[in-house]
Amino acid sequence: MIVFRDQFEKFPIGDLPFDYTAVGEYHCLDLPALPGGWAEVTNHTGWGRLANWQVVLDGDRRVMQQARLRKEGMPMLAAGDPRWRDITLRVEVRLLAAAAEAGVAVRYQNNRTHYSLRLDGQGRVRMIRRRHEDKAVLAEAEWKPDFNRYHEVRLDARGNRIEAFLDGAPLFEVTDEHLTEGAVALLANGPARFAAVEVETEEGEAARVRAENERAQAELAEARARYPQPTLWRRIETPEFGTGRHVRFGDVNGDGRMEILFAQHTHMLNGGDFCMLSCLTMMDLDGNILWQWGEPDRGRGVVPSDMAVQIHDVNGDGKAEVVCCRNFEICILDGATGELIHSAPTPEPGPMATWLKEDDLFRIPGDCVSFADLRGIGRRGDIMVKDRYSNVTAYDENLNRLWRFHGNTGHFPAPADIDGDGRDEVMIGYTMVDDDGTALWRIEVADHQDAIAIAPIDPARGEPLIALACGEGGTVVCDTKGHVLWRDLTGHVQRLTAARVREDAPGLQIITKTFWGNPDIICVYDAKGNMLDTMELPGGGAVLSPVNWTGRPPELLLTSGSLRLGGLLDGRLRRVVEFPDDGHPTLCAEALDLTGDARDEIVLWDQDELWIYTQDRPAEGEALRPRRQPHYNMSDYRAEISVYEEE
């Protein structure tokens, strides 16, 4: 029986909705769903930011076309049921370039785990098994490409056997036991067209899939019933001064409640890599503007980089200040009034560790600001200002320079008193830096660091561990001496959270999410590095914030405000809390306690509005408050940590 058939008639002619920019690292662009359940599951950058996939007319029928010739990466479209096992897949494929390779995949689990049959324009056809970095050619044959017509590719997957056919003739048969079930996909690294996709299976297999899906839906409904529902607590308009991810929270007027700081930017040099603060707007939770510094501009809100601004009592007087970089100055403002207290020039450019030429400027704009206790004064009153990827400069609260570090800085430093001397060491990129700026040790990992968590991950070790999201270098966990304990390569690991999200694993779990090239793969690991669960969530998540939704662990994970794919996941990666269909914004999302009951509220916002959701019922028993990353060290690129005292 046919369980899936698509000839792309429901697609409009033209490009599929896409975004291959860094904006999607921490913003949910909430692109519309594609007809037929298809999803673009890769985000390899197109030429000039052009779409990889489009629907075109070939004669009198619609076909799916991948138009870009790529030296690296394999753009993919996926569809179907992840529980399919024994199926026959038929697809018509037409190559349009001798340098192209195109084909189909079965047992598709994510964009880095599947079996694929690939035809190239040089006359080679291969069957490849991929499980992340484990790639194996299972069979290979020759064929004669005819660029003027479509070739029918057929894959019969039954148990551990896959038979491949081309234009009705057998190619080869492979036996492999690594992947037992999954959806289907189209793939091409160069110009190619696809038509008439069809999946067939036996009635018994279709019945099995239906039964398993019904059982999973029943279990999900039971799990959802155990959690409070989101109810709207505040809705605040942010005309003109609204922003993307660059919102900060802190009590600036001493009333015991959080205020909200909205930061806008202006571009420097090559756009999104170098941004400078242009306007700040401080607002309370009732929507009253307390002060504004600069002139707002709605077009200056969403940027694909960090922003050098924080709320923190940096001078220890019991009142919060705003510390930021603006107009090539480090500025300290009175948090309650916005009045300038003190300023000093931002650092001059140092040696560049990457191809980004920030030294073309006479001073750095300031990529991020963070705080540590480098002098042993009993509070984090020392200021670190980073350029994009190459240098970190430390200052005291009076903006006297303490030291400068040069190297592969990654995105956001992580301070912690590693040796117990009352002074913070700082993990900068892959280097542990002492309180005086001296490098203590470094681990060798490719790419740059995207997030760092220093936390009591493994209770058996009796000391904090350091977990890093290392981009193309994967996920790395090491001890405080720099010894790597475990590592996993699952793509460009962009986001990392250390929290208790499972009851069946001791200590904290490490949850990661990928972005560039092969995005949206979420993995849950135990403290030893064993993968507990994984899923692909195409376009549905931009953050992995831990959420104390019930008042007790295990916690949930906030992905985004998207109606279709967002919400809160449990530790088994089931979407157990959904947001209501009430018109709420979906661009940005964050979780923190704003009502004071120890449980988290969910903040959803875009450039026009900010909505805050809380629970629709009181906590059962006394709500526990986890220890989190401090609000004064907020960044798009920090890891999230959530620890309960029992841990």
Side-chain angles (χ1 to χ4, degrees), residues 574-606:
R574 301 175 299 182
R575 189 158 63 124
V576 294
V577 176
E578 299 177 292
F579 292 110
D581 186 2
D582 55 5
H584 63 261
T586 61
L587 182 69
C588 304
E590 197 51 85
L592 72 161
D593 177 18
L594 293 175
T595 64
D597 71 348
R599 297 182 297 172
D600 289 320
E601 279 61 58
I602 307 297
V603 187
L604 303 177
W605 74 94
D606 58 18

PDB file of all heavy atoms in Angstrom, residues 574-606:
ATOM      1  N   ARG A 574      10.152  15.100  24.488  1.00  0.00           N
ATOM      2  CA  ARG A 574       8.751  15.167  24.115  1.00  0.00           C
ATOM      3  C   ARG A 574       8.234  16.577  24.412  1.00  0.00           C
ATOM      4  O   ARG A 574       8.542  17.145  25.466  1.00  0.00           O
ATOM      5  CB  ARG A 574       7.932  14.134  24.888  1.00  0.00           C
ATOM      6  CG  ARG A 574       8.372  12.697  24.675  1.00  0.00           C
ATOM      7  CD  ARG A 574       7.601  11.739  25.565  1.00  0.00           C
ATOM      8  NE  ARG A 574       7.805  12.021  26.980  1.00  0.00           N
ATOM      9  CZ  ARG A 574       7.276  11.305  27.966  1.00  0.00           C
ATOM     10  NH1 ARG A 574       6.483  10.268  27.673  1.00  0.00           N
ATOM     11  NH2 ARG A 574       7.514  11.609  29.229  1.00  0.00           N
ATOM     12  N   ARG A 575       7.429  17.113  23.520  1.00  0.00           N
ATOM     13  CA  ARG A 575       6.906  18.470  23.715  1.00  0.00           C
ATOM     14  C   ARG A 575       5.704  18.394  24.652  1.00  0.00           C
ATOM     15  O   ARG A 575       4.565  18.215  24.237  1.00  0.00           O
ATOM     16  CB  ARG A 575       6.520  19.075  22.366  1.00  0.00           C
ATOM     17  CG  ARG A 575       6.167  20.546  22.441  1.00  0.00           C
ATOM     18  CD  ARG A 575       6.303  21.227  21.097  1.00  0.00           C
ATOM     19  NE  ARG A 575       5.389  20.703  20.110  1.00  0.00           N
ATOM     20  CZ  ARG A 575       4.506  21.449  19.427  1.00  0.00           C
ATOM     21  NH1 ARG A 575       4.426  22.745  19.664  1.00  0.00           N
ATOM     22  NH2 ARG A 575       3.741  20.911  18.520  1.00  0.00           N
ATOM     23  N   VAL A 576       5.980  18.541  25.935  1.00  0.00           N
ATOM     24  CA  VAL A 576       4.961  18.304  26.957  1.00  0.00           C
ATOM     25  C   VAL A 576       4.191  19.565  27.337  1.00  0.00           C
ATOM     26  O   VAL A 576       3.155  19.479  27.999  1.00  0.00           O
ATOM     27  CB  VAL A 576       5.592  17.670  28.215  1.00  0.00           C
ATOM     28  CG1 VAL A 576       6.126  16.279  27.907  1.00  0.00           C
ATOM     29  CG2 VAL A 576       6.708  18.550  28.783  1.00  0.00           C
ATOM     30  N   VAL A 577       4.687  20.743  26.956  1.00  0.00           N
ATOM     31  CA  VAL A 577       3.960  21.989  27.189  1.00  0.00           C
ATOM     32  C   VAL A 577       3.964  22.772  25.888  1.00  0.00           C
ATOM     33  O   VAL A 577       5.027  22.997  25.297  1.00  0.00           O
ATOM     34  CB  VAL A 577       4.581  22.832  28.318  1.00  0.00           C
ATOM     35  CG1 VAL A 577       3.840  24.170  28.460  1.00  0.00           C
ATOM     36  CG2 VAL A 577       4.554  22.075  29.642  1.00  0.00           C
ATOM     37  N   GLU A 578       2.787  23.172  25.437  1.00  0.00           N
ATOM     38  CA  GLU A 578       2.648  23.974  24.228  1.00  0.00           C
ATOM     39  C   GLU A 578       2.127  25.354  24.595  1.00  0.00           C
ATOM     40  O   GLU A 578       1.451  25.533  25.616  1.00  0.00           O
ATOM     41  CB  GLU A 578       1.675  23.313  23.256  1.00  0.00           C
ATOM     42  CG  GLU A 578       2.102  21.935  22.783  1.00  0.00           C
ATOM     43  CD  GLU A 578       1.064  21.301  21.885  1.00  0.00           C
ATOM     44  OE1 GLU A 578      -0.026  20.968  22.399  1.00  0.00           O
ATOM     45  OE2 GLU A 578       1.332  21.157  20.682  1.00  0.00           O
ATOM     46  N   PHE A 579       2.415  26.331  23.743  1.00  0.00           N
ATOM     47  CA  PHE A 579       1.898  27.674  23.966  1.00  0.00           C
ATOM     48  C   PHE A 579       0.541  27.836  23.291  1.00  0.00           C
ATOM     49  O   PHE A 579       0.272  27.208  22.260  1.00  0.00           O
ATOM     50  CB  PHE A 579       2.882  28.721  23.435  1.00  0.00           C
ATOM     51  CG  PHE A 579       4.160  28.777  24.212  1.00  0.00           C
ATOM     52  CD1 PHE A 579       5.348  28.342  23.656  1.00  0.00           C
ATOM     53  CD2 PHE A 579       4.170  29.254  25.510  1.00  0.00           C
ATOM     54  CE1 PHE A 579       6.531  28.377  24.375  1.00  0.00           C
ATOM     55  CE2 PHE A 579       5.342  29.298  26.244  1.00  0.00           C
ATOM     56  CZ  PHE A 579       6.525  28.852  25.677  1.00  0.00           C
ATOM     57  N   PRO A 580      -0.317  28.672  23.865  1.00  0.00           N
ATOM     58  CA  PRO A 580      -1.648  28.859  23.272  1.00  0.00           C
ATOM     59  C   PRO A 580      -1.577  29.602  21.943  1.00  0.00           C
ATOM     60  O   PRO A 580      -0.643  30.366  21.692  1.00  0.00           O
ATOM     61  CB  PRO A 580      -2.391  29.682  24.334  1.00  0.00           C
ATOM     62  CG  PRO A 580      -1.314  30.377  25.105  1.00  0.00           C
ATOM     63  CD  PRO A 580      -0.145  29.442  25.111  1.00  0.00           C
ATOM     64  N   ASP A 581      -2.582  29.373  21.114  1.00  0.00           N
ATOM     65  CA  ASP A 581      -2.685  30.050  19.819  1.00  0.00           C
ATOM     66  C   ASP A 581      -3.378  31.388  20.038  1.00  0.00           C
ATOM     67  O   ASP A 581      -4.573  31.557  19.795  1.00  0.00           O
ATOM     68  CB  ASP A 581      -3.469  29.171  18.846  1.00  0.00           C
ATOM     69  CG  ASP A 581      -3.492  29.749  17.436  1.00  0.00           C
ATOM     70  OD1 ASP A 581      -2.870  30.802  17.212  1.00  0.00           O
ATOM     71  OD2 ASP A 581      -4.153  29.137  16.569  1.00  0.00           O
ATOM     72  N   ASP A 582      -2.615  32.362  20.540  1.00  0.00           N
ATOM     73  CA  ASP A 582      -3.188  33.642  20.955  1.00  0.00           C
ATOM     74  C   ASP A 582      -2.496  34.839  20.319  1.00  0.00           C
ATOM     75  O   ASP A 582      -2.681  35.975  20.755  1.00  0.00           O
ATOM     76  CB  ASP A 582      -3.128  33.764  22.480  1.00  0.00           C
ATOM     77  CG  ASP A 582      -1.704  33.571  23.025  1.00  0.00           C
ATOM     78  OD1 ASP A 582      -0.761  33.433  22.207  1.00  0.00           O
ATOM     79  OD2 ASP A 582      -1.533  33.546  24.256  1.00  0.00           O
ATOM     80  N   GLY A 583      -1.681  34.602  19.293  1.00  0.00           N
ATOM     81  CA  GLY A 583      -1.014  35.707  18.615  1.00  0.00           C
ATOM     82  C   GLY A 583       0.268  36.169  19.261  1.00  0.00           C
ATOM     83  O   GLY A 583       0.776  37.255  18.935  1.00  0.00           O
ATOM     84  N   HIS A 584       0.839  35.377  20.159  1.00  0.00           N
ATOM     85  CA  HIS A 584       2.047  35.795  20.860  1.00  0.00           C
ATOM     86  C   HIS A 584       3.245  35.868  19.908  1.00  0.00           C
ATOM     87  O   HIS A 584       3.279  35.182  18.882  1.00  0.00           O
ATOM     88  CB  HIS A 584       2.357  34.842  22.014  1.00  0.00           C
ATOM     89  CG  HIS A 584       2.659  33.442  21.567  1.00  0.00           C
ATOM     90  ND1 HIS A 584       1.721  32.424  21.589  1.00  0.00           N
ATOM     91  CD2 HIS A 584       3.794  32.871  21.079  1.00  0.00           C
ATOM     92  CE1 HIS A 584       2.263  31.307  21.153  1.00  0.00           C
ATOM     93  NE2 HIS A 584       3.517  31.546  20.828  1.00  0.00           N
ATOM     94  N   PRO A 585       4.247  36.665  20.247  1.00  0.00           N
ATOM     95  CA  PRO A 585       5.457  36.727  19.419  1.00  0.00           C
ATOM     96  C   PRO A 585       6.268  35.444  19.547  1.00  0.00           C
ATOM     97  O   PRO A 585       6.171  34.725  20.556  1.00  0.00           O
ATOM     98  CB  PRO A 585       6.224  37.931  19.990  1.00  0.00           C
ATOM     99  CG  PRO A 585       5.703  38.104  21.374  1.00  0.00           C
ATOM    100  CD  PRO A 585       4.285  37.629  21.358  1.00  0.00           C
ATOM    101  N   THR A 586       7.073  35.156  18.531  1.00  0.00           N
ATOM    102  CA  THR A 586       7.850  33.914  18.518  1.00  0.00           C
ATOM    103  C   THR A 586       9.329  34.133  18.243  1.00  0.00           C
ATOM    104  O   THR A 586      10.099  33.178  18.277  1.00  0.00           O
ATOM    105  CB  THR A 586       7.299  32.944  17.461  1.00  0.00           C
ATOM    106  OG1 THR A 586       7.406  33.548  16.159  1.00  0.00           O
ATOM    107  CG2 THR A 586       5.846  32.600  17.730  1.00  0.00           C
ATOM    108  N   LEU A 587       9.759  35.359  17.983  1.00  0.00           N
ATOM    109  CA  LEU A 587      11.141  35.602  17.577  1.00  0.00           C
ATOM    110  C   LEU A 587      12.144  35.188  18.645  1.00  0.00           C
ATOM    111  O   LEU A 587      13.154  34.542  18.362  1.00  0.00           O
ATOM    112  CB  LEU A 587      11.336  37.081  17.224  1.00  0.00           C
ATOM    113  CG  LEU A 587      12.722  37.487  16.731  1.00  0.00           C
ATOM    114  CD1 LEU A 587      13.008  36.898  15.361  1.00  0.00           C
ATOM    115  CD2 LEU A 587      12.842  39.020  16.697  1.00  0.00           C
ATOM    116  N   CYS A 588      11.882  35.552  19.902  1.00  0.00           N
ATOM    117  CA  CYS A 588      12.827  35.322  20.995  1.00  0.00           C
ATOM    118  C   CYS A 588      12.111  34.674  22.173  1.00  0.00           C
ATOM    119  O   CYS A 588      10.907  34.865  22.367  1.00  0.00           O
ATOM    120  CB  CYS A 588      13.467  36.631  21.460  1.00  0.00           C
ATOM    121  SG  CYS A 588      14.303  37.560  20.154  1.00  0.00           S
ATOM    122  N   ALA A 589      12.890  33.947  22.977  1.00  0.00           N
ATOM    123  CA  ALA A 589      12.318  33.260  24.134  1.00  0.00           C
ATOM    124  C   ALA A 589      13.356  33.181  25.240  1.00  0.00           C
ATOM    125  O   ALA A 589      14.547  33.008  24.976  1.00  0.00           O
ATOM    126  CB  ALA A 589      11.850  31.856  23.746  1.00  0.00           C
ATOM    127  N   GLU A 590      12.900  33.292  26.482  1.00  0.00           N
ATOM    128  CA  GLU A 590      13.770  33.104  27.639  1.00  0.00           C
ATOM    129  C   GLU A 590      12.922  32.681  28.824  1.00  0.00           C
ATOM    130  O   GLU A 590      11.709  32.917  28.859  1.00  0.00           O
ATOM    131  CB  GLU A 590      14.551  34.384  27.963  1.00  0.00           C
ATOM    132  CG  GLU A 590      15.754  34.162  28.865  1.00  0.00           C
ATOM    133  CD  GLU A 590      16.661  33.035  28.350  1.00  0.00           C
ATOM    134  OE1 GLU A 590      17.522  33.283  27.501  1.00  0.00           O
ATOM    135  OE2 GLU A 590      16.455  31.888  28.812  1.00  0.00           O
ATOM    136  N   ALA A 591      13.583  32.053  29.813  1.00  0.00           N
ATOM    137  CA  ALA A 591      12.901  31.576  31.012  1.00  0.00           C
ATOM    138  C   ALA A 591      13.609  32.111  32.240  1.00  0.00           C
ATOM    139  O   ALA A 591      14.833  31.991  32.360  1.00  0.00           O
ATOM    140  CB  ALA A 591      12.884  30.046  31.037  1.00  0.00           C
ATOM    141  N   LEU A 592      12.861  32.713  33.166  1.00  0.00           N
ATOM    142  CA  LEU A 592      13.403  33.164  34.449  1.00  0.00           C
ATOM    143  C   LEU A 592      12.243  33.465  35.387  1.00  0.00           C
ATOM    144  O   LEU A 592      11.101  33.651  34.949  1.00  0.00           O
ATOM    145  CB  LEU A 592      14.305  34.386  34.290  1.00  0.00           C
ATOM    146  CG  LEU A 592      13.663  35.727  33.953  1.00  0.00           C
ATOM    147  CD1 LEU A 592      14.642  36.860  34.296  1.00  0.00           C
ATOM    148  CD2 LEU A 592      13.267  35.826  32.486  1.00  0.00           C
ATOM    149  N   ASP A 593      12.544  33.521  36.688  1.00  0.00           N
ATOM    150  CA  ASP A 593      11.520  33.770  37.700  1.00  0.00           C
ATOM    151  C   ASP A 593      11.261  35.270  37.787  1.00  0.00           C
ATOM    152  O   ASP A 593      12.127  36.034  38.211  1.00  0.00           O
ATOM    153  CB  ASP A 593      11.991  33.227  39.053  1.00  0.00           C
ATOM    154  CG  ASP A 593      10.994  33.512  40.163  1.00  0.00           C
ATOM    155  OD1 ASP A 593       9.828  33.804  39.861  1.00  0.00           O
ATOM    156  OD2 ASP A 593      11.401  33.445  41.345  1.00  0.00           O
ATOM    157  N   LEU A 594      10.059  35.682  37.415  1.00  0.00           N
ATOM    158  CA  LEU A 594       9.689  37.091  37.479  1.00  0.00           C
ATOM    159  C   LEU A 594       8.612  37.380  38.513  1.00  0.00           C
ATOM    160  O   LEU A 594       8.407  38.527  38.894  1.00  0.00           O
ATOM    161  CB  LEU A 594       9.210  37.579  36.104  1.00  0.00           C
ATOM    162  CG  LEU A 594      10.277  37.614  35.005  1.00  0.00           C
ATOM    163  CD1 LEU A 594       9.660  37.989  33.672  1.00  0.00           C
ATOM    164  CD2 LEU A 594      11.395  38.582  35.358  1.00  0.00           C
ATOM    165  N   THR A 595       7.896  36.346  38.986  1.00  0.00           N
ATOM    166  CA  THR A 595       6.841  36.567  39.975  1.00  0.00           C
ATOM    167  C   THR A 595       7.319  36.326  41.397  1.00  0.00           C
ATOM    168  O   THR A 595       6.610  36.654  42.350  1.00  0.00           O
ATOM    169  CB  THR A 595       5.636  35.655  39.694  1.00  0.00           C
ATOM    170  OG1 THR A 595       6.040  34.286  39.855  1.00  0.00           O
ATOM    171  CG2 THR A 595       5.100  35.876  38.288  1.00  0.00           C
ATOM    172  N   GLY A 596       8.516  35.713  41.555  1.00  0.00           N
ATOM    173  CA  GLY A 596       9.073  35.501  42.873  1.00  0.00           C
ATOM    174  C   GLY A 596       8.672  34.214  43.550  1.00  0.00           C
ATOM    175  O   GLY A 596       8.944  34.036  44.745  1.00  0.00           O
ATOM    176  N   ASP A 597       8.050  33.283  42.831  1.00  0.00           N
ATOM    177  CA  ASP A 597       7.606  32.033  43.463  1.00  0.00           C
ATOM    178  C   ASP A 597       8.589  30.893  43.239  1.00  0.00           C
ATOM    179  O   ASP A 597       8.262  29.732  43.498  1.00  0.00           O
ATOM    180  CB  ASP A 597       6.217  31.645  42.959  1.00  0.00           C
ATOM    181  CG  ASP A 597       6.212  31.177  41.504  1.00  0.00           C
ATOM    182  OD1 ASP A 597       7.240  31.369  40.818  1.00  0.00           O
ATOM    183  OD2 ASP A 597       5.190  30.637  41.059  1.00  0.00           O
ATOM    184  N   ALA A 598       9.773  31.181  42.747  1.00  0.00           N
ATOM    185  CA  ALA A 598      10.853  30.224  42.476  1.00  0.00           C
ATOM    186  C   ALA A 598      10.678  29.513  41.141  1.00  0.00           C
ATOM    187  O   ALA A 598      11.653  29.041  40.559  1.00  0.00           O
ATOM    188  CB  ALA A 598      11.022  29.196  43.598  1.00  0.00           C
ATOM    189  N   ARG A 599       9.451  29.406  40.655  1.00  0.00           N
ATOM    190  CA  ARG A 599       9.243  28.804  39.344  1.00  0.00           C
ATOM    191  C   ARG A 599       9.519  29.839  38.249  1.00  0.00           C
ATOM    192  O   ARG A 599       9.472  31.055  38.473  1.00  0.00           O
ATOM    193  CB  ARG A 599       7.822  28.264  39.213  1.00  0.00           C
ATOM    194  CG  ARG A 599       7.497  27.151  40.196  1.00  0.00           C
ATOM    195  CD  ARG A 599       6.087  26.624  39.976  1.00  0.00           C
ATOM    196  NE  ARG A 599       5.083  27.645  40.210  1.00  0.00           N
ATOM    197  CZ  ARG A 599       3.787  27.484  39.938  1.00  0.00           C
ATOM    198  NH1 ARG A 599       3.354  26.341  39.418  1.00  0.00           N
ATOM    199  NH2 ARG A 599       2.923  28.448  40.199  1.00  0.00           N
ATOM    200  N   ASP A 600       9.775  29.332  37.047  1.00  0.00           N
ATOM    201  CA  ASP A 600      10.128  30.223  35.945  1.00  0.00           C
ATOM    202  C   ASP A 600       8.901  30.690  35.191  1.00  0.00           C
ATOM    203  O   ASP A 600       7.935  29.933  34.990  1.00  0.00           O
ATOM    204  CB  ASP A 600      11.058  29.513  34.957  1.00  0.00           C
ATOM    205  CG  ASP A 600      12.448  29.305  35.525  1.00  0.00           C
ATOM    206  OD1 ASP A 600      12.951  30.215  36.197  1.00  0.00           O
ATOM    207  OD2 ASP A 600      13.016  28.221  35.312  1.00  0.00           O
ATOM    208  N   GLU A 601       8.968  31.934  34.747  1.00  0.00           N
ATOM    209  CA  GLU A 601       8.054  32.422  33.733  1.00  0.00           C
ATOM    210  C   GLU A 601       8.726  32.267  32.361  1.00  0.00           C
ATOM    211  O   GLU A 601       9.946  32.147  32.266  1.00  0.00           O
ATOM    212  CB  GLU A 601       7.694  33.894  33.957  1.00  0.00           C
ATOM    213  CG  GLU A 601       6.608  34.109  34.991  1.00  0.00           C
ATOM    214  CD  GLU A 601       6.989  33.591  36.378  1.00  0.00           C
ATOM    215  OE1 GLU A 601       8.006  34.041  36.918  1.00  0.00           O
ATOM    216  OE2 GLU A 601       6.273  32.706  36.895  1.00  0.00           O
ATOM    217  N   ILE A 602       7.914  32.275  31.320  1.00  0.00           N
ATOM    218  CA  ILE A 602       8.415  32.223  29.952  1.00  0.00           C
ATOM    219  C   ILE A 602       8.194  33.592  29.323  1.00  0.00           C
ATOM    220  O   ILE A 602       7.066  34.093  29.291  1.00  0.00           O
ATOM    221  CB  ILE A 602       7.693  31.149  29.115  1.00  0.00           C
ATOM    222  CG1 ILE A 602       7.754  29.794  29.817  1.00  0.00           C
ATOM    223  CG2 ILE A 602       8.310  31.076  27.722  1.00  0.00           C
ATOM    224  CD1 ILE A 602       9.146  29.244  30.001  1.00  0.00           C
ATOM    225  N   VAL A 603       9.266  34.176  28.822  1.00  0.00           N
ATOM    226  CA  VAL A 603       9.200  35.480  28.169  1.00  0.00           C
ATOM    227  C   VAL A 603       9.355  35.263  26.670  1.00  0.00           C
ATOM    228  O   VAL A 603      10.344  34.677  26.220  1.00  0.00           O
ATOM    229  CB  VAL A 603      10.297  36.424  28.687  1.00  0.00           C
ATOM    230  CG1 VAL A 603      10.108  37.826  28.113  1.00  0.00           C
ATOM    231  CG2 VAL A 603      10.300  36.459  30.210  1.00  0.00           C
ATOM    232  N   LEU A 604       8.372  35.714  25.911  1.00  0.00           N
ATOM    233  CA  LEU A 604       8.401  35.640  24.453  1.00  0.00           C
ATOM    234  C   LEU A 604       8.297  37.065  23.908  1.00  0.00           C
ATOM    235  O   LEU A 604       7.451  37.843  24.370  1.00  0.00           O
ATOM    236  CB  LEU A 604       7.235  34.808  23.918  1.00  0.00           C
ATOM    237  CG  LEU A 604       7.116  33.368  24.428  1.00  0.00           C
ATOM    238  CD1 LEU A 604       5.861  32.707  23.854  1.00  0.00           C
ATOM    239  CD2 LEU A 604       8.350  32.552  24.074  1.00  0.00           C
ATOM    240  N   TRP A 605       9.149  37.382  22.939  1.00  0.00           N
ATOM    241  CA  TRP A 605       9.101  38.745  22.427  1.00  0.00           C
ATOM    242  C   TRP A 605       9.613  38.836  20.999  1.00  0.00           C
ATOM    243  O   TRP A 605      10.290  37.947  20.497  1.00  0.00           O
ATOM    244  CB  TRP A 605       9.873  39.695  23.339  1.00  0.00           C
ATOM    245  CG  TRP A 605      11.373  39.613  23.289  1.00  0.00           C
ATOM    246  CD1 TRP A 605      12.221  40.371  22.526  1.00  0.00           C
ATOM    247  CD2 TRP A 605      12.221  38.748  24.064  1.00  0.00           C
ATOM    248  NE1 TRP A 605      13.529  40.028  22.763  1.00  0.00           N
ATOM    249  CE2 TRP A 605      13.561  39.045  23.711  1.00  0.00           C
ATOM    250  CE3 TRP A 605      11.981  37.762  25.018  1.00  0.00           C
ATOM    251  CZ2 TRP A 605      14.644  38.379  24.278  1.00  0.00           C
ATOM    252  CZ3 TRP A 605      13.065  37.099  25.576  1.00  0.00           C
ATOM    253  CH2 TRP A 605      14.373  37.408  25.210  1.00  0.00           C
ATOM    254  N   ASP A 606       9.243  39.954  20.361  1.00  0.00           N
ATOM    255  CA  ASP A 606       9.830  40.368  19.101  1.00  0.00           C
ATOM    256  C   ASP A 606      10.074  41.867  19.206  1.00  0.00           C
ATOM    257  O   ASP A 606      10.125  42.415  20.321  1.00  0.00           O
ATOM    258  CB  ASP A 606       8.942  39.981  17.909  1.00  0.00           C
ATOM    259  CG  ASP A 606       7.535  40.562  17.987  1.00  0.00           C
ATOM    260  OD1 ASP A 606       7.317  41.534  18.754  1.00  0.00           O
ATOM    261  OD2 ASP A 606       6.642  40.057  17.287  1.00  0.00           O
TER     262      ASP A 606
END
